[in-house]
Amino acid sequence: MLQVTQLTKAYGPIQAVDGISLSIDRGACYALLGPNGAGKTTTINLLSGLLQPDSGQVSINGFNPATDPLKVKASIGVIPQEIALYDELTARQNLHFWAGLYGISPVEIRRRADAALERIGLKDRADQPLQTFSGGMKRRINIAAAILHKPAILFMDEPTVGIDPQSRNHIYELIQELHREGMTILYTTHYMEEAEKLCDRIGIVDRGRLVAEGTLRQLRDRLPNQTRIHLETRGLTPEVGVQLQAQYGDRIAIGEEQVWLSPNLVHQDIAELVRSCGELHVDIQHLEVKEADLEAVFLELTGRALRD
Amino acid sequence: MLNTIFHLAKKDLLLFVADKRAIALTFLLPVAMITIFYFAFGGSPQDGNNPVVALIMSDLDSTEASQRFIGELDSLKGLRLDQATSEAGSRNAVAEGKRAAALIIHPGFGDSLALGSSLPLEVLYDSGRPMEFGIISQLLYAAVGNFAGESQGKARAKKQMMETFGMDEVTVEGLMAQMSGSGGDAQPAPPFSVREVVGERDNDFSLIQAVAGTAVMLLLFSVAGMGSGLLMEREAGTLKKLLYAPISPISILGGKFASTLLLSVAQLVLMFVFAALAFGLDLSRNLPALGLMIVATAAVCASLGMLLASVSRTRKQLDGFSTILILTMSAIGGSMMPVVFMPVLFQKLAVGTVNHWSIQGFYDIYWRNLPISAVLDNAGVLFGLAALMMAISAYFFKRNLVRLL
């Protein structure tokens, strides 16, 4: 369904996308996992034909965005990071408008919009303006607006940013439902839980590069040690963090009031780190040994925490 | 592509209808502004009088002759006469800006009139109000000549005019020739046959100026606001989302233009209908020509709105840029006052503004009473400017798309 080969895009000296290659089969859900600024949104914009790549090849549903932009755009649905809807219009008017851009007949638009409103649980609010909706409800309308034309592949660019846990779960269920129905999905996120929960395959991106790719099991298997140590702290200022990082290098990763220890650290290192924390007036609140997850994989591959 | 443009335009119209404040600003503000400008240009729903200028005077002579002269002044149409009890009162009224000019009738007026010598009249004026003073001077010349002629015969009146106003003989004779046919009217008749060739029918020049001038100026402000909708869509992310859809960027601009054009036509129609209902503008004269000029004016204004939105990076930039441009064009192009009152240089510059071509077209229809063929030039220029501005808008819109991402 989607083939990307050596895709690159630079903005001046900044290499936003640096030789990304990936392939998504029909009906698969693929997560592009990486921190903010890793190049996920730029990749989506390149795939959807909004940006021209500096080099590389893209094929979506058999079409090339560079030569057949309108055919590619007709094949895709995009749920952007921001809630891009018209607040003054009702939910139904919004759905009718967005679906109308894809050449669907008015009768069919009405039918699909009603079904979509039912599906996202907002049928009773269909004729109310969006300015009366919560952020989570708008997110659901945002998703419905992107799938009314039944796209061959759906690009979801961090669709759960800034919403409450209940709405987030509602959106997860919707995505899982779409996936079960056979829709091909490319899902970008910086939440490892989402990638683990929703997608069959995961690509880890950092600084524009795809640093690893595979199923969750395959990515975990890349780690020499399946466990890791996590410290929760108090008093870990950025200045102290810099000192610790200088002392231990890539054997630790510093986050906000937390430290991840590489499984490669030997016991003496751990004892020394605890002592250093004490000397730097950093209290250790909690110490936990965890099973390796995507966070650990990311740390292993990049030397940085995913949410830095 | 046309279907997409209509679809996008329909969405903009729905958004417009949902915004009560925008409706009020688009349709009620122009009505209020036409009313204000109509009265400001001297129109009046009660009568068709010319603009009234006010003169304050002090009669220090207080003789039967000075009282008769005051009666003569008081009978002039277009002049409102107020009296101050002292010379200082009149002087202060001018100094404080309450009046443009003051007339002092010094002691000895009656005697001088009887002797045929120079009349002891003094006019004090504010040099910052030359237009009002010019009208007052004309009225005073006429009144003094008339009064002196009636009182003491033509030869003595001529001598007195020369002495009182320091005029040469030829000028005074010209004035007196005009006065001979003017009776008590303030407007001296010129020394030749006069017949009005335009504005012979019911429409009032003040009304046409107010409607045409105000309509174009307010429409320009409205379309700048509508054009900013393009930038609002960019800020809200909906423009980027539109670009994900299988439509060309030009159809996005086209949709915005179409909705702006429709609302502009509606706004202009409302203004002319209001002028007809409230002030009696005779719309029935040449409806096809009016329709053509309305569409041409709406098209050029809408395309200017698109141009401003396409070249601006932020709404703040658009607001500042459009305010300067629209006020300048409106001032030079005749929206604020008829171009004939402006310096020659400004009259030449006016042809570079959309206001000029539009307002002159409406003059042709409602003041000069010309057929539709007479406004084809104006409409052609406006459509040409609209096409040019849309082409430039399309170029900038496509070029700036990358900034949207």
Side-chain angles (χ1 to χ4, degrees):
Chain A
M1 173 60 67
L2 185 144
Q3 296 282 336
V4 180
T5 312
Q6 288 298 311
L7 194 64
T8 62
K9 179 73 185 176
Y11 294 107
I14 299 164
Q15 195 68 43
V17 175
D18 189 4
I20 284 183
S21 296
L22 57 90
S23 172
I24 304 177
D25 295 333
R26 191 176 296 275
C29 182
Y30 187 102
L32 217 45
L33 175 71
N36 291 329
K40 303 187 295 291
T41 301
T42 304
T43 303
I44 295 272
N45 287 335
L46 288 167
L47 299 183
S48 51
L50 261 65
L51 288 177
Q52 293 299 312
D54 295 336
S55 64
Q57 292 295 316
V58 177
S59 170
I60 296 174
N61 204 24
F63 303 114
N64 182 343
T67 54
D68 288 314
L70 294 185
K71 284 179 180 167
V72 166
K73 287 178 178 183
S75 303
I76 64 173
V78 182
I79 299 165
Q81 215 169 91
E82 59 275 15
I83 300 171
L85 297 166
Y86 297 103
D87 268 0
E88 300 82 358
L89 301 186
T90 66
R92 194 189 302 279
Q93 284 172 328
N94 265 285
L95 294 183
H96 285 197
F97 169 70
W98 291 108
L101 296 172
Y102 291 83
I104 309 166
S105 74
V107 175
E108 185 61 14
I109 287 175
R110 276 196 290 276
R111 195 187 65 74
R112 291 189 195 181
D114 285 346
L117 286 164
E118 179 89 53
R119 179 178 206 165
I120 61 175
L122 290 173
K123 195 168 185 184
D124 56 332
R125 304 284 301 268
D127 295 311
Q128 291 176 17
L130 289 194
Q131 55 206 2
T132 64
F133 283 34
S134 69
M137 289 155 83
K138 286 182 189 175
R139 286 266 177 210
R140 280 187 264 164
I141 296 286
N142 213 25
I143 293 173
I147 58 173
L148 279 186
H149 62 286
K150 298 186 175 169
I153 183 166
L154 183 61
F155 296 157
M156 306 181 90
D157 192 9
E158 309 216 26
T160 59
V161 167
I163 58 171
D164 59 275
Q166 192 186 352
S167 296
R168 185 174 293 183
N169 285 334
H170 206 119
I171 288 172
Y172 290 161
E173 285 169 21
L174 188 59
I175 293 166
Q176 285 167 329
E177 211 175 289
L178 290 170
H179 184 30
R180 277 197 299 274
E181 289 168 7
M183 183 167 280
T184 311
I185 298 171
L186 173 61
Y187 190 99
T188 76
T189 182
H190 63 269
Y191 296 126
M192 61 170 185
E193 303 87 355
E194 290 186 350
E196 286 179 355
K197 182 174 181 173
L198 300 171
C199 300
D200 336 293
R201 289 180 68 80
I202 298 160
I204 296 177
V205 281
D206 186 46
R207 295 183 175 126
R209 287 184 303 112
L210 191 69
V211 293
E213 189 201 29
T215 62
L216 181 60
R217 169 56 52 197
Q218 287 168 336
L219 290 171
R220 275 182 180 162
D221 287 348
R222 295 173 70 113
L223 294 175
N225 192 328
Q226 297 292 306
T227 59
R228 63 178 189 147
I229 297 166
H230 176 231
L231 303 179
E232 282 180 23
T233 61
R234 194 167 63 188
L236 180 58
T237 61
E239 294 76 26
V240 172
V242 169
Q243 284 185 47
L244 287 174
Q245 195 80 66
Q247 195 173 344
Y248 293 94
D250 61 5
R251 290 174 294 164
I252 62 167
I254 308 282
E256 191 179 337
E257 292 291 14
Q258 48 195 333
V259 182
W260 288 270
L261 280 63
S262 160
N264 302 330
L265 277 178
V266 294
H267 290 112
Q268 289 92 322
D269 290 332
I270 297 169
E272 192 188 329
L273 176 67
V274 171
R275 198 166 43 251
S276 297
C277 285
E279 285 167 6
L280 293 166
H281 307 291
V282 176
D283 294 334
I284 295 171
Q285 302 283 303
H286 183 74
L287 186 151
E288 189 181 9
V289 179
K290 290 171 111 176
E291 279 293 305
D293 54 15
L294 286 173
E295 190 79 57
V297 176
F298 191 84
L299 176 64
E300 176 70 21
L301 292 170
T302 66
R304 298 189 298 123
L306 190 54
R307 288 167 201 177
D308 274 0
Chain B
M1 190 179 196
L2 269 182
N3 278 346
T4 306
I5 288 174
F6 285 134
H7 187 68
L8 290 161
K10 186 180 157 193
K11 175 262 300 174
D12 285 332
L13 294 176
L14 283 173
L15 285 170
F16 177 79
V17 170
D19 187 348
K20 303 289 180 282
R21 190 178 297 176
I23 294 174
L25 283 173
T26 305
F27 296 121
L28 295 182
L29 183 65
V31 162
M33 294 303 287
I34 283 177
T35 308
I36 292 167
F37 272 90
Y38 174 49
F39 291 124
F41 288 134
S44 163
Q46 280 78 40
D47 59 48
N49 283 352
N50 291 317
V52 173
V53 289
L55 175 71
I56 192 162
M57 59 155 298
S58 302
D59 180 11
L60 307 181
D61 187 50
S62 295
T63 58
E64 183 269 336
S66 67
Q67 288 301 311
R68 274 197 295 120
F69 178 58
I70 292 168
E72 175 81 21
L73 288 176
D74 216 12
S75 69
L76 295 178
K77 281 182 186 173
L79 182 73
R80 196 181 79 225
L81 194 64
D82 302 315
Q83 292 201 43
T85 51
S86 65
E87 183 180 351
S90 289
R91 186 183 296 276
N92 288 343
V94 176
E96 291 165 8
K98 292 173 183 165
R99 295 290 181 275
L103 174 68
I104 313 296
I105 305 174
H106 286 289
F109 176 84
D111 295 341
S112 299
L113 186 71
L115 294 170
S117 57
S118 171
L119 295 173
L121 296 173
E122 186 183 9
V123 178
L124 312 170
Y125 72 99
D126 180 350
S127 60
R129 297 162 75 174
M131 286 181 72
E132 282 170 89
F133 178 62
I135 295 169
I136 289 170
S137 300
Q138 285 291 315
L139 294 173
L140 281 176
Y141 292 150
V144 170
N146 224 20
F147 182 70
E150 279 175 6
S151 303
Q152 61 205 10
K154 197 172 175 182
R156 290 181 72 181
K158 181 175 152 187
K159 178 173 173 277
Q160 208 157 33
M161 289 277 283
M162 288 166 67
E163 286 179 10
T164 304
F165 296 119
M167 293 171 167
D168 60 46
E169 192 171 353
V170 177
T171 307
V172 172
E173 280 178 353
L175 267 172
M176 293 187 77
Q178 291 175 33
M179 286 179 299
S180 62
S182 65
D185 200 308
Q187 302 300 324
F192 38 76
S193 166
V194 174
R195 190 157 62 89
E196 197 174 21
V197 293
V198 292
E200 290 174 350
R201 298 190 187 172
D202 298 337
N203 281 336
D204 176 350
F205 183 82
S206 308
L207 180 59
I208 298 164
Q209 170 63 32
V211 177
T214 312
V216 180
M217 181 170 65
L218 286 179
L219 188 57
L220 286 170
F221 277 114
S222 291
V223 296
M226 292 173 204
S228 78
L230 209 54
L231 297 172
M232 284 166 73
E233 292 225 29
R234 187 171 86 179
E235 289 163 15
T238 47
L239 187 54
K240 184 177 168 186
K241 191 166 172 177
L242 284 173
L243 294 171
Y244 287 129
I247 58 175
S248 76
I250 295 306
S251 57
I252 297 173
L253 193 66
K256 197 62 80 181
F257 173 77
S259 60
T260 307
L261 178 69
L262 281 174
L263 288 172
S264 301
V265 167
Q267 192 181 28
L268 283 172
V269 167
L270 176 95
M271 286 194 244
F272 277 93
V273 169
F274 172 75
L277 295 176
F279 303 120
L281 180 69
D282 180 13
L283 281 187
S284 63
R285 247 181 220 183
N286 197 342
L287 282 176
L290 175 64
L292 178 66
M293 282 307 299
I294 281 180
V295 173
T297 302
V300 77
C301 290
S303 58
L304 182 68
M306 296 305 105
L307 179 63
L308 289 169
S310 299
V311 298
S312 303
R313 293 184 183 184
T314 62
R315 270 196 287 164
K316 212 166 189 176
Q317 217 175 58
L318 171 69
D319 289 344
F321 192 39
S322 59
T323 303
I324 292 168
L325 184 70
I326 293 168
L327 285 179
T328 306
M329 283 207 309
S330 299
I332 296 173
S335 278
M336 295 177 179
M337 71 159 85
V339 285
V340 291
F341 293 150
M342 295 182 196
V344 175
L345 175 65
F346 277 38
Q347 291 185 27
K348 287 180 179 168
L349 290 174
V351 296
T353 67
V354 296
N355 307 57
H356 172 80
W357 293 100
S358 180
I359 292 168
Q360 290 304 317
F362 290 121
Y363 279 165
D364 284 348
I365 301 169
Y366 288 114
W367 183 244
R368 301 185 186 106
N369 202 20
L370 299 176
I372 191 169
S373 57
V375 299
L376 290 179
D377 285 355
N378 298 64
V381 170
L382 293 173
F383 281 126
L385 282 172
L388 178 68
M389 286 193 279
M390 278 309 286
I392 299 171
S393 306
Y395 168 77
F396 277 105
F397 183 67
K398 281 208 291 192
R399 201 187 76 161
N400 293 341
L401 273 183
V402 72
R403 293 205 192 103
L404 306 174
L405 307 174

